[in-house]
Amino acid sequence: MRVNVVTLFPDFFRGPLGLSIPARAAAAGLVTYNLVQLRDFTHDRHQTVDDLPYGGGAGMVMKPEPFWEAVQSLAPEGEQLPPGPIVLMSARGRRFTHADAVRFSLQREVTFLCGHYKDVDHRVAEGLATEELSLGDFIVSGGEIPALAVIDATVRLIPGAISDHESASTDSHYDGLLSAPSYTRPAAYRGREVPGILLSGDHARIAAWRREQAERLTRERRPDLWEAPEHS
């Protein structure tokens, strides 16, 4: 799998993608990270990537031309654009979900566009990106933080990226539920004890307890997930 990231800050990604599961996946040849500096696709001596918004108002808007040229540079010979999803990280986007991570993990190539400043010219969203995604109802400094989160969520699902698939399959959201609480040694700590059933060795009862806990936590904390069609 190839992951392209078009950004003003390639260095933002080098540290995190060089650690833990993203790094192991790359070392195993499962994924390649291609960090593209947006300023390389400007044509003035100041490498200008933003300008004042038409119609006035505060803030600066990122220009469409560098994004377009950067993405087109990734296209195979004879093609206009690279294959696979072209994702603009945007506060206007639909909220990213585990299902999106699964979908991306099955692609041969995914391209992420990271905005900054006030906004990105809407023609990038309309004509270049295939979709817009958000992490939630809050604002961060740019698209880099959301893109990194999406990349991590995606790469860990590539077959072989995690050695223990059973561990991943019991994560929150894998089956539409929050995960059950986890415990490890010591069995008692500061007056709090591990639930006795987890020490029983009865795997059937433990599995039933974990399912009950997952359902309870999902009902209490994420009723939106619990009310999804698969749980009704």
Side-chain angles (χ1 to χ4, degrees), residues 84 111 115 165:
T111 301
H165 177 72

PDB file of all heavy atoms in Angstrom, residues 84 111 115 165:
ATOM      1  N   GLY A  84      -7.107   5.352  -6.267  1.00  0.00           N
ATOM      2  CA  GLY A  84      -7.565   5.293  -4.884  1.00  0.00           C
ATOM      3  C   GLY A  84      -8.160   6.583  -4.387  1.00  0.00           C
ATOM      4  O   GLY A  84      -8.185   7.606  -5.093  1.00  0.00           O
ATOM      5  N   THR A 111      -4.411   8.955  -0.879  1.00  0.00           N
ATOM      6  CA  THR A 111      -3.753  10.263  -0.847  1.00  0.00           C
ATOM      7  C   THR A 111      -4.501  11.171   0.111  1.00  0.00           C
ATOM      8  O   THR A 111      -5.725  11.308   0.024  1.00  0.00           O
ATOM      9  CB  THR A 111      -3.727  10.900  -2.251  1.00  0.00           C
ATOM     10  OG1 THR A 111      -3.017  10.023  -3.147  1.00  0.00           O
ATOM     11  CG2 THR A 111      -3.053  12.261  -2.225  1.00  0.00           C
ATOM     12  N   GLY A 115      -4.860  20.711   4.749  1.00  0.00           N
ATOM     13  CA  GLY A 115      -4.984  22.152   4.696  1.00  0.00           C
ATOM     14  C   GLY A 115      -4.342  22.800   5.915  1.00  0.00           C
ATOM     15  O   GLY A 115      -3.897  22.133   6.856  1.00  0.00           O
ATOM     16  N   HIS A 165      -3.820 -10.588  15.585  1.00  0.00           N
ATOM     17  CA  HIS A 165      -5.086 -10.113  15.016  1.00  0.00           C
ATOM     18  C   HIS A 165      -6.216 -10.190  16.031  1.00  0.00           C
ATOM     19  O   HIS A 165      -7.119  -9.356  16.033  1.00  0.00           O
ATOM     20  CB  HIS A 165      -5.460 -10.926  13.775  1.00  0.00           C
ATOM     21  CG  HIS A 165      -6.782 -10.535  13.194  1.00  0.00           C
ATOM     22  ND1 HIS A 165      -6.986  -9.356  12.513  1.00  0.00           N
ATOM     23  CD2 HIS A 165      -8.003 -11.146  13.248  1.00  0.00           C
ATOM     24  CE1 HIS A 165      -8.243  -9.264  12.138  1.00  0.00           C
ATOM     25  NE2 HIS A 165      -8.885 -10.339  12.578  1.00  0.00           N
TER      26      HIS A 165
END
